[in-house]
Amino acid sequence: MLLVTGASGALGSLVAERLAGRADVALGTRAGLPGTRRLDFDAPGTLPEAFAGVDTLLLISAGYGEDDTVVARHGAAISAAERAGVRHVVYTSLSGDGDHLTYALAHRWTERRLRRSPTLDWTFLRNGLYAEFLSWIAAPDADDRITGPLGEGRLAAVAREDLADIAVSVATDPAAHRSRVYELVGERALGGGDLARALGSTYAPGTLADARAAIAASGAEPFQVPMLASTYSAIAHGFLDGSGIESDLRALLGGREPRDALDVFVKAVREG
Ligand SMILES: NC(=O)c1ccc[n+]([C@@H]2O[C@H](COP(=O)([O-])OP(=O)(O)OC[C@H]3O[C@@H](n4cnc5c(N)ncnc54)[C@H](OP(=O)(O)O)[C@@H]3O)[C@@H](O)[C@H]2O)c1
């Protein structure tokens, strides 16, 4: 039995769609939606029942929080998996070029926790930043200008659907991927100018200081301010353009062309 956590999130629901109808797959959601097992890493008491009979766990990272919150969630999930006799955890992590992002720590902690597990086999899907996420941090403003402080930097963004395809193929054949760390960053690095041209907008990058102040003033949670500022900075200063990493994306897609990140970005902006 394969259990997918976070099955109502954006990535998890794409995974769930691809696995629909399979008798050997269970879905887990915090809300305990119909047809799913209720599981909430913040309520570890939900986990023994949710993990019963599970051989493989696709652990979709439960980001969004301070490090101690996210580490506690992932730690609870892994400990419960060990106790329930799960054999293999496939974890959706963060690409290796993302270590300057404030949220990298919780991913690396989780990887280390899994590597040190006395009982679990593991596979890490080190996902790059989504093209859909780029549409969030580099959307045009009311004057049709992209002002996100990306400088001259570029992002090797990846379509969430490609990551869902890969998560499904790995999690349904985990033994073939035991102890593997896959770097899943896009093949085409996009800069602010590319994004603006594709939308017919203007690129007028602001400063990190202005962006940080605007994020703080927007009602964002305190942890989100450094999270987003570090994302802009890592892109602007060339750490996430794909040049420092060998991507396994195409190989894990069975050799096919990855979805076009610029098309995904444009669609995501237009759909709001
Ligand atoms: N690579 C990127 O660009 C990028 C961007 C944003 C986030 N991420 C990371 O990748 C993950 C998946 O991305 P996404 O786009 O699907 O994000 P999303 O739509 O915001 O979904 C959040 C996910 O976190 C799960 N979650 C949160 N708290 C949880 C808890 N206490 N117990 C169990 N599950 C919990 C949710 O589970 P339910 O479905 O059960 O609610 C859901 O699957 C995120 O959680 C985050 O860690 C990556």
Side-chain angles (χ1 to χ4, degrees), residues 74-97:
H74 294 177
I78 294 166
S79 295
E82 288 170 340
R83 283 193 291 271
V86 171
R87 285 208 287 267
H88 195 126
V89 174
V90 177
Y91 172 63
T92 63
S93 188
L94 172 69
S95 56
D97 56 3

Side-chain angles (χ1 to χ4, degrees), residues 145-148 196 202-206:
R145 292 179 323 156
I146 295 176
T147 59
T202 321
Y203 179 48

Side-chain angles (χ1 to χ4, degrees), residues 42-129:
D42 290 326
T46 60
L47 302 179
E49 197 178 327
F51 289 180
V54 171
D55 304 302
T56 305
L57 186 68
L58 174 56
L59 175 57
I60 298 208
S61 61
Y64 308 119
E66 296 286 355
D67 290 342
D68 53 357
T69 301
V70 180
V71 162
R73 284 180 186 152
H74 294 177
I78 294 166
S79 295
E82 288 170 340
R83 283 193 291 271
V86 171
R87 285 208 287 267
H88 195 126
V89 174
V90 177
Y91 172 63
T92 63
S93 188
L94 172 69
S95 56
D97 56 3
D99 279 336
H100 295 287
L101 301 166
T102 57
Y103 38 102
L105 185 146
H107 286 292
R108 301 296 173 246
W109 182 92
T110 306
E111 292 183 357
R112 194 180 62 183
R113 172 69 180 83
L114 284 165
R115 284 179 194 275
R116 290 179 179 175
S117 170
T119 61
L120 293 166
D121 288 330
W122 51 265
T123 306
F124 303 151
L125 303 178
R126 285 185 159 185
N127 292 345
L129 297 187

Side-chain angles (χ1 to χ4, degrees), residues 6-12 29-30 39-42 60-64 73 128-130 133 160:
S8 65
L11 178 63
T29 58
R30 272 180 297 179
L39 66 85
D40 183 345
F41 305 150
D42 290 326
I60 298 208
S61 61
Y64 308 119
R73 284 180 186 152
L129 297 187
Y130 308 145
F133 180 59
R160 215 194 247 116

